[in-house]
Amino acid sequence: MNTVIIDQQEALPSRSEGEPSTKTQPIVRYKGITKSFGELQVLKGIDLEIQTGEKVAVIGPSGSGKTTMGRMLMTLEEPTEGTIEVDGELLWHMQNKEKLVRADEKHLHRMRCNVGMVFQHFNLFPHMNVLRNVAEAPRKVLGLSKEEAEERAVSMLGKVGLADKLKMYPANLSGGQKQRVAIARALVMRPKVMVFDEVTSALDPELVGEVLAVIREIAEEGEMAMLLITHEMDFAKEIADRVIFSADGRIVEQGTPEEIFDHPKSERLRSFLQRFRSGGN
Ligand SMILES: Nc1ncnc2c1ncn2[C@@H]1O[C@H](COP(=O)(O)OP(=O)(O)OP(=O)(O)O)[C@@H](O)[C@H]1O
Ligand SMILES: [Mg+2]
């Protein structure tokens, strides 16, 4: 990995080390984020703050970098430039004497625990039953005992309506059930922010509702921030505090659901919504 050295003044979090986080500090802050894959610049300067408990929906055309933004927060994709902070701490960088350098694996591992992500394709462990799928990370990553981890997992599986499926294997579950296991698996780590990336788009239409119902319930609990990448416009409208429209690697427009869906300002967003409403994307 390259060692990235960046201007400290620019990159340092606004609060000093050790100071407790406050409600007013954003839980997530993207600052000047760019991302290139070879010649292709996918993100061209993203600045985004998400407040504690805030639900932010991201919409935008295919290929505009939405998933890449989410994967960066989950430490799965490294920014080319810029910084991301989670709860006031740099995610991809750390202090080394006077310089900010790329974070080491230990730092990334610790920071990753603050973030949960659910993907379009459930990515469950096929050889583990439902209970183990959910209890594995609390045991291995948080170091809980088997009993504690399973207790937490059972409670989380109850919450997503799967208390009676603990011993089943992923292959024997419906898509909606698999996705609910994946949600429980992320939530059981008690992250400060959750990324949902098109979590219903691989599901048969009749299974979408049960997954959205679970997300709605989690959203209503309030305290966790959410980055919801979605093409479910009605759902975004219903649960998001703020909607981001990203296109061509930039945030083109953002606002309340009403502002974005009912009073779009930019031509780019207007034509996106129009195409979307007439069945394209
Ligand atoms: N690992 C990678 N290597 C090379 N190119 C990549 C990689 N990941 C993403 N890309 C490219 O980056 C661009 C943005 O991809 P991304 O998946 O973030 O878009 P998206 O907005 O989520 O699109 P969609 O709505 O189709 O899910 C695409 O052109 C994609 O092909
Ligand atoms: Mg995507």
Side-chain angles (χ1 to χ4, degrees):
M1 282 292 173
N2 295 335
T3 301
V4 185
I5 299 172
I6 50 182
D7 180 351
Q8 247 189 78
Q9 292 310 103
E10 279 288 300
L12 272 180
S14 52
R15 72 182 170 95
S16 53
E17 278 303 308
E19 195 179 315
S21 63
T22 64
K23 281 259 170 210
T24 52
Q25 172 187 274
I27 196 78
V28 172
R29 181 185 277 149
Y30 289 74
K31 249 198 241 174
I33 287 292
T34 71
K35 177 68 183 177
S36 298
F37 293 108
E39 297 282 284
L40 178 69
Q41 193 177 34
V42 173
L43 296 177
K44 299 178 180 166
I46 299 289
D47 293 292
L48 172 64
E49 292 187 358
I50 303 175
Q51 305 302 321
T52 301
E54 194 183 15
K55 318 299 181 234
V56 176
V58 183
I59 61 168
S62 184
S64 60
K66 306 180 296 295
T67 292
T68 304
M69 274 176 65
R71 285 172 54 82
M72 278 181 179
L73 197 55
M74 193 62 205
T75 70
L76 295 172
E77 209 73 77
E78 186 172 2
T80 304
E81 296 168 300
T83 56
I84 300 177
E85 289 162 35
V86 176
D87 203 13
E89 260 194 279
L90 288 164
L91 180 63
W92 280 99
H93 300 89
M94 55 193 280
Q95 193 91 21
N96 182 354
K97 297 188 185 120
E98 295 299 294
K99 297 220 152 47
L100 281 183
V101 295
R102 186 192 185 276
D104 59 22
E105 282 309 313
K106 196 168 149 222
H107 177 88
L108 288 173
H109 187 268
R110 183 170 64 79
M111 292 299 289
R112 188 177 296 139
C113 291
N114 294 316
V115 184
M117 185 160 181
V118 183
F119 305 85
Q120 177 177 357
H121 300 286
F122 333 107
N123 300 342
L124 298 178
F125 305 119
H127 58 290
M128 293 183 192
N129 67 24
V130 165
L131 179 61
R132 237 189 109 201
N133 258 284
V134 179
E136 192 71 359
R139 279 195 72 185
K140 296 277 161 66
V141 181
L142 302 181
L144 301 188
S145 69
K146 185 166 186 273
E147 291 69 30
E148 286 171 317
E150 290 191 348
E151 197 177 312
R152 245 204 222 191
V154 168
S155 137
M156 209 47 78
L157 284 161
K159 194 164 167 165
V160 299
L162 293 174
D164 58 341
K165 302 279 187 272
L166 304 183
K167 300 287 173 214
M168 304 264 289
Y169 281 80
N172 300 321
L173 299 175
S174 73
Q177 290 167 338
K178 279 186 224 176
Q179 198 54 299
R180 285 186 283 145
V181 176
I183 292 171
R185 191 178 55 172
L187 285 177
V188 79
M189 300 297 281
R190 301 184 182 159
K192 293 175 179 153
V193 54
M194 279 279 280
V195 182
F196 294 93
D197 187 7
E198 307 277 9
V199 295
T200 57
S201 51
L203 298 178
D204 291 338
E206 72 270 22
L207 302 177
V208 168
E210 67 189 60
V211 173
L212 294 185
V214 165
I215 298 174
R216 183 182 294 118
E217 199 175 306
I218 302 161
E220 280 166 0
E221 284 176 7
E223 68 268 22
M224 199 170 47
M226 285 186 185
L227 187 65
L228 191 77
I229 302 165
T230 187
H231 64 269
E232 300 274 352
M233 301 294 176
D234 290 339
F235 189 65
K237 200 166 179 172
E238 179 197 341
I239 76 158
D241 301 307
R242 183 156 50 115
V243 180
I244 305 279
F245 171 60
S246 85
D248 308 323
R250 296 181 201 281
I251 295 175
V252 174
E253 199 169 328
Q254 57 179 306
T256 63
E258 288 69 29
E259 285 167 342
I260 292 297
F261 294 116
D262 302 337
H263 306 286
K265 290 194 195 81
S266 60
E267 184 47 44
R268 192 82 175 80
L269 174 56
R270 273 199 294 272
S271 68
F272 171 75
L273 291 173
Q274 209 148 33
R275 254 181 301 139
F276 200 87
R277 282 170 186 144
S278 58
N281 105 34

